[in-house]
Every structure is written in structure tokens, then in C-alpha cells.
Amino acid sequence: MKTNSIYEALNNVDDKFVSEAAKVCGKRPIALMITAASLAAALALAVGIRNLVGRSGIMYVAPGFGESKTSSTNDSAYDPNNKFVIKVDDEDYYFNVYPQKIIIPDAFKPDETESSKSFFDVDMSPTEIFAEFGIHPLMNDNFTDSKNEPGWIKNVITDEEFYYNGGPGVYVSDRNISFDYYLYNKTINQKVGFTLDYYTDLVDFSSSYGGEVIYMKDGSVGIICRNRATFAYHGAMYSVTVCTKDFDENIYIMDVLTDLGVL
């Protein structure tokens, strides 16, 4: 099964057209990689939502933001037929990822003729999007809502240039829902990039990563690769990246995981 995450779906942007002000999170800005087909629909949705939800600035503090719970804490939802495997140094590691019941808001549903849809640069804060979907990802009062730095991007297929406001991204398919967003971590005084995947159907995924295997507070496996951590929590898959140019420094990502309460 293809994961169809935003990282995989958004690959046609030429990095050299990102403004000098744009901060790179990992190898490239998370939300700046987008296909020509999904960009038009994404921008249309962003305009529609912009009429409903105002943006008050880069930083947000939303009601209930300190809560730390998920939409499904019932581990009985786990099905042995699910398989999420990552190979590190020729050894397989299994992640407890399973389907969850999430109601997709009408504004984020694909058209009847589409099996999936990407929403790019949505003019909502991460917590506003979470409220729309009725989900409660990992977060607490060590973090506040944030956004990426805005800048110009260019699609390498169409040569069209667009101004990216720095908003979150959402990808919806018949198997999974993926969220790309930023939170600001008070401890390290930096923004942190998140890619969060919820699955709505049986999971069958395998891949190979480089990095170091660690064990989280609950005994589950995590993978650390420079400034990025990959792990599962309550059935969802997280990729968390500290947005820093010092890619060889692991201490920041460990602080972030500690602040999230998973390490």
C-alpha cells in the first residue's frame, strides 16, 4: 500500500524559487513540495477557508491546546493484519499503527471523481484543522501553533509561481489522512515540523531508514536520524523534525520528544 503522504505527493517544486526568508526543515520545506494538479485545488480550498477563518499572525494559542489525548486510545483497535515495518541496519522494526474512525469534514473531502486530494497552504492554524477533523494529536503547553516562513515557489512542470503563506497541508485518501504542520517549542525556542498520518483502512507498509533506533517511554520503537524522529503513538505515525541548519545535532530532537511526553 502506498502511504501517499504529503512528502510523497508534493514533489514538483523547484527549491531555488523559495525565498531567502524561507527556513528549511530537513532537506526541503515540508509544505512546498506539491504537484501541479493538486496545487490549484489546494489554493482554491485555502481561499474558501480564508473566508471562514481569519489569520491573526504567525503564532497561535488555541483553546484546549494543552490537552494531550488522541481520538482513539483503545488499543483493542489493533488488528494483527496491520503491518507497518521499517528496516534499520537490516533489522525489521514493527510499529503499532492501526485504522481509526475519523470523519472527514466536507471542506476536505475529495470530489466524487477523485480517490484522494491534497490541500496546500490552508489558511487555518494546526489546532483549528485538528478541531475540524475531531482529532487530538500529541501536544501540550510546551508548544504553540506556528507556521512556516512565507515565500515564493515555482512549479517545475508548469513554471507557474505562487506565494506560499506558510500554512499547514492536508492530504486525504480512502486509506489515510496526512497532516503537515508546525508547532513552536518553547524549550528550544524553535519551530518544529510535524507530519502525522492517521490510517482509516488496514495498514500494509514497509520501508528502509537510516538512523538510530531508540525506545520510547511506552516501550515502543522510535528512529532518530539527525534532526528527525519517527515513531508511532496511539495508532498514528509521526515524523517530527527540528527546523535547524545543524543537521548533525540530535540534542534538539531529543528535547522535543521529551517535551511531547513520549521519551
Side-chain angles (χ1 to χ4, degrees):
M1 187 199 80
K2 295 183 179 179
T3 58
N4 289 327
S5 70
I6 301 292
Y7 280 116
E8 295 173 313
L10 314 181
N11 282 319
N12 293 325
V13 170
D14 190 337
D15 285 344
K16 71 180 180 180
F17 288 94
V18 180
S19 71
E20 292 297 327
K23 301 296 189 297
V24 175
C25 187
K27 292 185 178 180
R28 60 165 59 187
I30 291 177
L32 298 185
M33 301 174 288
I34 188 159
T35 61
S38 60
L39 183 55
L43 292 176
L45 177 89
V47 171
I49 293 178
R50 193 170 286 120
N51 293 330
L52 299 175
V53 182
R55 186 183 290 277
S56 59
I58 291 180
M59 306 305 297
Y60 302 85
V61 178
F65 192 74
E67 298 177 4
S68 182
K69 58 184 179 179
T70 62
S71 57
S72 174
T73 58
N74 183 4
D75 285 340
S76 66
Y78 173 74
D79 187 317
N81 293 318
N82 291 309
K83 184 181 69 173
F84 197 108
V85 182
I86 296 179
K87 185 185 294 292
V88 180
D89 294 332
D90 294 324
E91 185 170 353
D92 288 341
Y93 293 90
Y94 291 80
F95 294 78
N96 187 17
V97 179
Y98 50 77
Q100 303 188 45
K101 294 181 180 179
I102 299 176
I103 298 175
I104 301 173
D106 289 341
F108 289 93
K109 287 182 179 179
D111 297 335
E112 293 183 358
T113 58
E114 300 174 316
S115 61
S116 63
K117 194 166 186 176
S118 295
F119 302 94
F120 173 71
D121 195 14
V122 179
D123 196 12
M124 300 173 71
S125 71
T127 49
E128 288 168 338
I129 292 178
F130 300 155
E132 286 289 309
F133 279 83
I135 61 174
H136 303 273
L138 275 169
M139 58 181 64
N140 53 51
D141 57 8
N142 294 316
F143 299 85
T144 57
D145 278 341
S146 186
K147 60 181 279 191
N148 196 21
E149 295 296 327
W152 285 94
I153 60 174
K154 183 175 182 178
N155 189 291
V156 296
I157 295 179
T158 66
D159 286 331
E160 293 179 276
E161 293 187 44
F162 301 92
Y163 190 77
Y164 166 57
N165 289 297
V170 180
Y171 174 84
V172 177
S173 78
D174 57 356
R175 288 183 176 271
N176 72 302
I177 305 171
S178 182
F179 303 89
D180 279 317
Y181 58 97
Y182 292 88
L183 300 178
Y184 179 82
N185 180 242
K186 300 174 184 178
T187 298
I188 66 172
N189 196 30
Q190 293 190 60
K191 65 183 178 181
V192 180
F194 288 76
T195 293
L196 170 60
D197 285 294
Y198 284 98
Y199 290 84
T200 56
D201 201 350
L202 289 180
V203 182
D204 185 8
F205 174 81
S206 61
S207 184
S208 296
Y209 282 25
E212 173 188 359
V213 174
I214 63 171
Y215 288 90
M216 319 300 282
K217 182 185 292 186
D218 63 0
S220 63
V221 171
I223 300 174
I224 301 292
C225 183
R226 295 182 176 179
N227 61 336
R228 178 173 295 164
T230 302
F231 60 94
Y233 185 80
H234 285 188
M237 201 69 189
Y238 287 78
S239 178
V240 182
T241 306
V242 177
C243 304
T244 174
K245 294 181 180 179
D246 188 359
F247 296 143
D248 295 322
E249 186 58 78
N250 283 352
I251 186 172
Y252 296 117
I253 191 63
M254 302 300 280
D255 285 342
V256 169
L257 295 179
T258 299
D259 279 357
L260 283 172
V262 297
L263 194 63

